[in-house]
């Protein structure tokens, strides 16, 4: 049965800006979004006294779309509210893992937009890990949900290159826009009855690259890795949450430093210990890596200070005798 965009009732589930962009496109393209599910408002500010709604909630409320914010997705009160929306289709972008009672509810199913070329990079941080691993290409996938996370049948995919001057932030922005195009194309295929899907291609476990959630400890730089790996690591965590290392001063005291941008410097210092700093004290900071080469830092943030270019940092800092702790 062929339907039109207005006749299919859609519930959208998502939280961050990446999801909010897709929700905006759905509404602007004339799809009938009858409800939104997102996380509870988050406390912000020094004392946590201000509650900030997610980007998805902010946009939904600006359009008068009903918003549900369940603590538990299996809670009967939430399930009753969700059923009352009488969705024909559910669309998920950057949200929590759904229980079957939720994803099996609509008659046309539930599909997810995931920021990788599945089956690679299943998990919470696919964009970061694709850049960290030095991939030259990534993309986005729409797929129907099933029990195991990010394993459902593929509906459609798009591909984009990862360039040397990209970081996780620029790749995020590219996928946010091209992923929304893919989402609209997928929703149209479901609405007009032309949708088809295929199982994810089988791949040996050792060839699969996971995309687990990133924590602070994940972001600590291992200077014993080769220079290209360190550079990719910094790119893959910029601008958020940012790679970091411990800077040890000549007198022994230490401070955390976030590193937002870097390049391969071309310097060779084979005999130097990884983490050794080479600097002219005015314009550059090179850090020796495990292959005897170096990464040149471009933009950094010392704990308690502002993010700044290296030249600005060196105007007020003396790195003589300093090095990064392994």
């Amino acid at each position: 049965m062929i339907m039109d965009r207005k006749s299919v009732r859609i519930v959208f589930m998502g939280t961050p800006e990446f999801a909010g962009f897709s929700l905006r496109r759905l509404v602007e393209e004339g799809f009938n979004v009858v409800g939104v599910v997102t996380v509870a408002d988050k406390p912000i500010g020094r004392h946590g006294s201000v509650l900030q709604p997610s980007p998805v909630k902010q946009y939904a409320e600006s359009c008068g779309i009903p918003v549900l914010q369940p603590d538990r997705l299996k809670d009967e009160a939430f399930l009753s509210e969700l059923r009352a929306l009488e969705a024909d289709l559910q669309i998920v972008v950057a949200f929590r893992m759904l229980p079957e009672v939720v994803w099996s509810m609509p008659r046309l199913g539930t599909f997810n937009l995931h920021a990788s070329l599945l089956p690679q990079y299943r998990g919470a941080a696919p964009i970061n890990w694709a850049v960290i691993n030095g991939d030259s290409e990534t993309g986005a996938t729409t797929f129907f949900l099933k029990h195991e996370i990010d394993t459902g049948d593929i509906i459609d995919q798009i591909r984009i290159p990862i360039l040397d001057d990209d970081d996780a932030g620029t790749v995020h922005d590219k996928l946010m826009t091209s992923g929304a195009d893919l989402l609209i194309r997928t929703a149209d295929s479901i609405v007009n009855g032309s949708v088809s899907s295929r199982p994810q291609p089988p791949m040996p476990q050792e060839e699969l690259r996971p995309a687990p959630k990133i924590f602070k400890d994940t972001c600590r730089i291992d200077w014993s890795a080769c220079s290209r790996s360190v550079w990719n690591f910094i790119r893959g965590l910029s601008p958020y949450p940012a790679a970091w290392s411990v800077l040890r001063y000549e007198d022994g005291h230490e401070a955390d430093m976030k590193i937002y941008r870097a390049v391969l410097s071309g310097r060779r210092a084979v005999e130097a210990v990884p983490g050794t700093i080479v600097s002219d004290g005015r314009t550059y900071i090179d850090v020796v890596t495990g292959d005897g080469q170096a990464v040149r830092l471009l933009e950094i943030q010392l704990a308690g200070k502002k993010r700044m270019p290296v030249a600005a940092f060196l105007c007020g800092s003396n790195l003589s005798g300093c090095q990064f702790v392994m």
Side-chain angles (χ1 to χ4, degrees), residues 128 132 168 214 218-220 232-243:
N128 300 94
I132 288 170
I214 290 174
T218 314
C219 301
R220 186 166 182 174
N232 287 333
F233 189 78
I234 292 167
R235 294 196 301 140
L237 293 168
S238 180
Y240 181 83

Side-chain angles (χ1 to χ4, degrees), residues 175-256:
L175 285 177
M176 185 170 66
T177 54
S178 59
D181 292 339
L182 176 65
L183 181 141
I184 296 298
R185 191 166 76 200
T186 298
D188 267 333
S189 72
I190 294 172
V191 167
N192 65 33
S194 66
V195 68
S196 62
S197 61
R198 63 190 186 277
Q200 294 188 24
M203 190 170 288
Q205 194 64 36
E206 62 272 15
E207 293 182 16
L208 285 173
R209 289 183 162 181
K213 188 174 181 179
I214 290 174
F215 300 94
K216 182 179 179 182
D217 286 349
T218 314
C219 301
R220 186 166 182 174
I221 298 170
D222 176 9
W223 297 108
S224 69
C226 71
S227 56
R228 182 165 290 272
S229 292
V230 172
W231 172 60
N232 287 333
F233 189 78
I234 292 167
R235 294 196 301 140
L237 293 168
S238 180
Y240 181 83
W244 64 277
S245 189
V246 177
L247 180 66
R248 180 177 292 158
Y249 289 86
E250 193 171 24
D251 63 6
H253 85 274
E254 298 179 346
D256 290 354

